[in-house]
Amino acid sequence: MKRKSPQGIKEESMSILVVGSVAFDSVETPFGKVDEVLGGSATYFSSSASFFSDVNLVAVVGEDFPDAHLDFLRSRNVDLAGLQRAPGETFRWRGRYGYDLNEAQTLDTRLNVFQDFRPDLPENYRDADFVFLANIDPELQLEVLRQVRKPRLVACDTMNFWISGKRAALLETLKHVDILVINEAEARQLAEEANLSRAARRILDLGPETVVIKRGEYGVIMFNAHSIFAAPAYPLEEVFDPTGAGDTFAGGFMGYLAANRNLAEQSLRRAIVFGSVMASFTVEDFSLNRLRELDYAAIEDRYHRVRLLTEFDGPA
Amino acid sequence: MKRKSPQGIKEESMSILVVGSVAFDSVETPFGKVDEVLGGSATYFSSSASFFSDVNLVAVVGEDFPDAHLDFLRSRNVDLAGLQRAPGETFRWRGRYGYDLNEAQTLDTRLNVFQDFRPDLPENYRDADFVFLANIDPELQLEVLRQVRKPRLVACDTMNFWISGKRAALLETLKHVDILVINEAEARQLAEEANLSRAARRILDLGPETVVIKRGEYGVIMFNAHSIFAAPAYPLEEVFDPTGAGDTFAGGFMGYLAANRNLAEQSLRRAIVFGSVMASFTVEDFSLNRLRELDYAAIEDRYHRVRLLTEFDGPA
């Protein structure tokens, strides 16, 4: 896919297939309140990844989903051929955060059209090289993998609900996954192990070659068989709304990898930092507001700031 | 102070003055239980700092304090001329940790001889260049500062008990402190601010030029007027007992600074990493057991591992 590169997208970058949710979020934080704004894992992921790579989106929305949101995604070069429109209402989530912004309290979840969602990949999506299975039913994640021919890299997310409720299907999915991107508490729950390093080892035994553990304001830690990489979160004086931070992280991470087609350790590390940088922008405003006005220069600038934040030299 | 350097101590290093507690700890973790083992903030601090620098210790013990513990401290080249022995029993602390090793539950605290402790510095301690005020009553911290002539660097620790109970005295102490070393929750409490970056800024307005915030298994973040530095904790598969980790960190941090007599940003960053490395050893066993058998080569080796853990290059 060739085109000019307004946001740093490399001409030879590979496109990413993402399956997940497109939703309306209603969120309350100590700093404000929004109703039925654009949200959903696939939305955050694809908007973030779009700064680095092309994205093919597989999801479902209802009849109530406004064209303006579709236009936004298209403006970010997100391909919507895989976005189904089904009779009924779009998926809705309502949540609240306290001053400790690390964890959302879910007030209401309405699956609506997502209830009967069956992913059906357009023919030209089936040759995807980079696949991200956002946090959905692991049986649907498997269904997507069955439709993809020979992906070069499969990453996935999951949550406590599936870890406890659909463990067998999740373990089956993990056998086909290269990189698991997961929260700290979920990593401990999945591995049934309180020590995070040991939990990571156990997860690597389940299939993934790499596990990327998201720790909120403490950053990200990545484990594989040979190394560990820890990156801090960019320290912000204003964290407005953490919703979507994890999916935005995954979007930047996968976007960078797809853009550079390099899965070596140093590339994975840079991808982690780009993912963290993207997440740090998302939390500065509600919904995708901050990503809407972002440009690639600001992303690179913050990447450099994270380098300054972490560098130290050898013992004197 | 000149002597050979079995543990990497530089001949021209400056000695550190520390005031704090020497105690008996009784600790229960999911992995075991110990009764009345050697503990206390000044003990952990000075044992850790002794790998880098000479230490002059100011504290008090009771008549029940065994010579074997004094011999251990002397074997680490800790000067005990400032250690008072008072009639009565040594300070005792009893605590418990659950599988979440981040926070201790205090079961019992008996101040004993510490109740009437008044620091009285031997004459040759009063020219100290590097001073660490461990977590004690801020009025006693001030009393120590009154006895020290012209310190080059003063660092201090404190806790929730003093932040709420002796706030005025603590704020007075902070006016004379260069570096505050404090836990994350305490930083928020002291600044009355939930956002950590903003809390750090407020603390810098109280006097200290630098604030070093300890985040347990998430590492350390250091703020000053011009920069922020984040260092991860060394990931351990076996965390046995977190008691003393914070004071061990401070010991390695101050020890490195005193050894290198360099307070520039890059030196402070290396000191943070050495402090983290020292803490990572302490938590591998009860009491000071791990520090007793440690050598400088193992410290340097782990320092290099932390570099590998954190390094990444510029955007490709």
Side-chain angles (χ1 to χ4, degrees):
Chain A
M1 194 168 287
K2 288 204 175 197
R3 60 152 189 271
K4 65 179 165 28
S5 173
Q7 281 110 3
I9 295 178
K10 298 195 176 180
E11 298 217 343
E12 72 283 16
S13 81
M14 291 180 172
S15 65
I16 302 172
L17 168 68
V18 57
V19 56
S21 61
V22 173
F24 289 126
D25 287 346
S26 298
V27 183
E28 217 182 308
T29 80
F31 316 109
K33 195 178 145 123
V34 284
D35 262 320
E36 307 223 328
V37 294
L38 181 60
S41 58
T43 318
Y44 280 105
F45 178 93
S46 56
S47 301
S48 174
S50 73
F51 284 88
F52 304 90
S53 175
D54 295 313
V55 183
N56 295 333
L57 184 150
V58 174
V60 61
V61 293
E63 292 154 319
D64 56 352
F65 198 75
D67 285 339
H69 289 340
L70 301 178
D71 291 341
F72 162 65
L73 289 167
R74 282 191 202 101
S75 79
R76 298 264 3 120
N77 287 308
V78 176
D79 187 295
L80 302 180
L83 180 64
Q84 305 168 24
R85 194 184 277 266
E89 294 199 316
T90 301
F91 178 33
R92 277 165 169 78
W93 178 79
R94 180 178 292 275
R96 183 161 53 193
Y97 298 85
Y99 278 98
D100 173 3
L101 293 161
N102 280 320
E103 202 166 357
Q105 181 191 359
T106 291
L107 300 175
D108 193 22
T109 301
R110 299 189 184 201
L111 289 177
N112 297 333
V113 295
F114 212 80
Q115 182 81 56
D116 299 311
F117 174 54
R118 288 291 165 274
D120 180 20
L121 273 52
E123 179 53 34
N124 65 323
Y125 282 24
R126 297 179 183 231
D127 284 319
D129 283 301
F130 288 76
V131 177
F132 185 71
L133 309 168
N135 169 28
I136 58 172
D137 186 331
E139 288 177 19
L140 297 187
Q141 293 178 325
L142 272 172
E143 218 163 295
V144 170
L145 289 183
R146 270 183 227 115
Q147 296 175 43
V148 178
R149 291 192 187 97
K150 202 170 176 285
R152 191 163 159 204
L153 183 78
V154 176
C156 96
D157 189 4
T158 190
M159 72 184 292
N160 49 8
F161 185 73
W162 310 119
I163 294 171
S164 57
K166 293 226 176 171
R167 192 171 179 88
L170 177 60
L171 293 180
E172 185 55 34
T173 299
L174 289 180
K175 289 180 191 163
H176 308 282
V177 162
D178 301 298
I179 304 182
L180 178 64
V181 181
I182 195 172
N183 283 341
E184 193 171 9
E186 293 158 356
R188 293 190 161 103
Q189 186 191 1
L190 175 60
E192 298 174 324
E193 165 62 53
N195 178 287
L196 197 67
S197 298
R198 278 208 304 266
R201 300 277 156 240
R202 289 199 189 173
I203 290 170
L204 296 180
D205 288 338
L206 299 176
E209 214 172 286
T210 301
V211 55
V212 174
I213 299 175
K214 299 173 286 182
R215 308 164 112 181
E217 66 170 309
Y218 302 110
V220 175
I221 186 162
M222 171 172 70
F223 295 81
N224 61 41
H226 309 293
S227 89
I228 309 177
F229 175 59
Y234 182 74
L236 293 167
E237 301 213 359
E238 303 283 348
V239 178
F240 204 77
D241 174 14
T243 306
D247 298 304
T248 305
F249 165 82
F253 175 71
M254 291 289 283
Y256 179 82
L257 292 177
N260 290 278
R261 301 187 300 176
N262 176 352
L263 302 178
E265 172 75 19
Q266 282 306 320
S267 178
L268 288 170
R269 289 180 172 214
R270 289 190 296 267
I272 292 278
V273 176
F274 272 111
S276 298
V277 163
M278 296 307 294
S280 77
F281 285 115
T282 283
V283 303
E284 289 182 326
D285 203 340
F286 280 122
S287 185
L288 292 105
N289 296 348
R290 187 67 182 88
L291 294 188
R292 284 175 196 267
E293 57 179 36
L294 191 61
D295 62 35
Y296 195 75
I299 297 169
E300 276 205 316
D301 177 67
R302 200 166 276 188
Y303 184 101
H304 288 296
R305 285 169 192 269
V306 176
R307 287 197 79 193
L308 294 177
L309 178 71
T310 56
E311 67 183 11
F312 64 95
D313 48 24
Chain B
M1 194 169 287
K2 289 205 174 195
R3 59 149 190 273
K4 65 180 165 32
S5 172
Q7 282 111 1
I9 296 178
K10 300 197 175 178
E11 299 216 342
E12 73 282 17
S13 80
M14 291 181 173
S15 65
I16 301 172
L17 169 67
V18 56
V19 56
S21 61
V22 173
F24 289 126
D25 287 346
S26 297
V27 184
E28 216 181 308
T29 82
F31 315 110
K33 196 179 144 126
V34 284
D35 262 320
E36 308 224 326
V37 293
L38 180 60
S41 59
T43 318
Y44 280 106
F45 178 93
S46 57
S47 301
S48 174
S50 72
F51 284 89
F52 304 90
S53 174
D54 295 314
V55 183
N56 296 332
L57 185 150
V58 174
V60 62
V61 293
E63 291 153 320
D64 56 352
F65 198 74
D67 285 340
H69 288 341
L70 301 179
D71 291 342
F72 162 65
L73 289 167
R74 282 190 202 104
S75 79
R76 298 267 359 124
N77 286 309
V78 176
D79 188 295
L80 301 180
L83 180 64
Q84 305 167 23
R85 194 183 277 268
E89 294 199 314
T90 300
F91 178 33
R92 276 164 170 78
W93 177 78
R94 179 177 294 275
R96 183 160 55 191
Y97 298 85
Y99 277 99
D100 173 2
L101 293 161
N102 280 322
E103 201 165 358
Q105 182 192 357
T106 290
L107 302 175
D108 193 22
T109 301
R110 298 187 183 203
L111 290 176
N112 297 333
V113 295
F114 212 81
Q115 183 81 57
D116 298 312
F117 173 54
R118 288 291 166 275
D120 180 21
L121 273 53
E123 179 52 34
N124 65 322
Y125 283 25
R126 297 179 183 232
D127 284 320
D129 284 301
F130 287 77
V131 176
F132 185 70
L133 308 168
N135 169 28
I136 58 172
D137 186 332
E139 289 177 17
L140 297 187
Q141 293 179 324
L142 272 173
E143 218 163 295
V144 169
L145 289 183
R146 270 183 226 116
Q147 296 176 42
V148 177
R149 290 191 188 98
K150 201 168 177 284
R152 190 163 158 202
L153 182 79
V154 176
C156 95
D157 190 3
T158 191
M159 71 185 292
N160 49 9
F161 185 74
W162 310 120
I163 294 171
S164 56
K166 293 224 176 173
R167 193 172 178 90
L170 177 59
L171 292 180
E172 184 56 36
T173 299
L174 288 180
K175 290 181 191 163
H176 309 282
V177 162
D178 302 298
I179 305 182
L180 177 64
V181 181
I182 196 173
N183 283 340
E184 194 171 7
E186 292 158 357
R188 293 191 161 103
Q189 187 192 359
L190 175 59
E192 297 174 324
E193 165 61 55
N195 177 287
L196 197 67
S197 298
R198 278 208 302 267
R201 300 278 155 239
R202 289 200 189 172
I203 290 170
L204 296 180
D205 288 337
L206 299 176
E209 213 172 287
T210 301
V211 56
V212 173
I213 299 174
K214 299 173 285 181
R215 307 164 112 182
E217 66 171 309
Y218 303 109
V220 175
I221 187 162
M222 170 171 71
F223 295 81
N224 61 43
H226 309 294
S227 90
I228 309 177
F229 174 58
Y234 182 74
L236 293 166
E237 300 214 359
E238 304 282 348
V239 178
F240 204 77
D241 173 15
T243 307
D247 298 305
T248 305
F249 165 81
F253 175 71
M254 291 289 283
Y256 179 82
L257 292 177
N260 290 276
R261 300 188 299 179
N262 176 352
L263 301 178
E265 172 75 18
Q266 282 305 320
S267 178
L268 288 170
R269 290 181 171 215
R270 290 191 294 268
I272 292 279
V273 176
F274 272 111
S276 298
V277 163
M278 296 307 294
S280 77
F281 286 115
T282 283
V283 302
E284 289 182 326
D285 202 340
F286 280 122
S287 184
L288 293 106
N289 296 348
R290 188 68 182 88
L291 295 188
R292 283 175 197 268
E293 58 178 35
L294 191 62
D295 61 35
Y296 195 75
I299 296 169
E300 275 205 317
D301 177 66
R302 200 166 276 187
Y303 185 101
H304 287 296
R305 286 169 192 269
V306 176
R307 287 197 78 193
L308 295 177
L309 177 72
T310 56
E311 68 183 12
F312 64 96
D313 48 26

